[in-house]
Amino acid sequence: MARTFALEIVTPDRLVLKKTVDSVTAASVSGEFTALPLHVPFLAALSVGNLSYRENGRLAYVFVSGGFAEVGPDKVLIMAEAAELPEEIDLDRARKASERAKARLEAQRAEKVDYVRAKAALQRAMARMKLLDVAATGGQSRSASRV
Ligand code: ATP
């Protein structure tokens, strides 16, 4: 019986990851799912958050922002709007994006800004910072903050 399957993560501009893995866990708009070998096929719309996978028993993380997951018995294809490996995340950029988005949300009371857009930008920045935290601690996140 198959014990592994292919995981491929692509964005509109690049192939982010191609691996043979034991399992994949990701956040869809209707909740978290875990795909194992020989999983029944399904499609899921992805939300912003951490995708994790096990390769030879080792857990690893990828930041994924929106898009779709196509799950099949021998392959999971993630088509994300944006995706980054932990080593690709620019923490300073995420912090600045988070500050900008917070300032925009603050300014919302005074002037009309795009609240939904600012909130989505804040969610992405917080998720990138959380991923670095989770990836550095192997899942034992130091931060209690939720995205
Ligand atoms: P920013 O305001 O900093 O651009 P954003 O959340 O609006 O952040 P996205 O629209 O999610 O950015 O992504 C645009 C592109 O920039 C994607 O290719 C994404 O991988 C990359 N990117 C965004 N933020 C970071 C980051 N902190 N570190 C590395 N790459 C990033």
Side-chain angles (χ1 to χ4, degrees), residues 11-142:
T11 66
D13 53 340
R14 70 185 179 117
L15 170 68
V16 177
L17 182 107
K18 193 174 179 173
K19 296 244 179 219
T20 300
V21 302
D22 314 322
S23 67
V24 175
T25 299
S28 82
V29 292
S30 47
E32 192 175 88
F33 67 86
T34 296
L36 296 166
L38 305 178
H39 203 290
V40 287
F42 73 92
L43 273 178
L46 297 169
S47 60
V48 174
N50 303 345
L51 175 148
S52 63
Y53 64 90
R54 268 187 199 282
E55 183 187 25
N56 296 323
R58 248 193 68 232
L59 200 55
Y61 299 87
V62 183
F63 167 80
V64 171
S65 169
F68 292 92
E70 186 184 72
V71 176
D74 55 6
K75 182 173 178 178
V76 171
L77 173 63
I78 304 287
M79 291 163 284
E81 285 163 25
E84 294 125 40
L85 306 176
E87 61 270 26
E88 293 171 335
I89 294 180
D90 179 339
L91 181 57
D92 194 46
R93 177 173 168 178
R95 281 195 180 123
K96 284 180 180 146
S98 159
E99 291 312 314
R100 263 196 322 274
K102 280 181 188 161
R104 267 186 246 132
L105 291 173
E106 278 296 309
Q108 201 228 357
R109 273 184 228 101
E111 50 185 285
K112 278 250 176 271
V113 299
D114 191 336
Y115 181 83
V116 173
R117 206 171 143 195
K119 202 149 180 242
L122 178 60
Q123 196 187 11
R124 289 194 299 276
M126 299 284 282
R128 284 185 172 107
M129 292 190 280
K130 184 178 169 193
L131 185 128
L132 284 182
D133 189 26
V134 171
T137 57
Q140 309 295 310
S141 177
R142 290 181 296 250

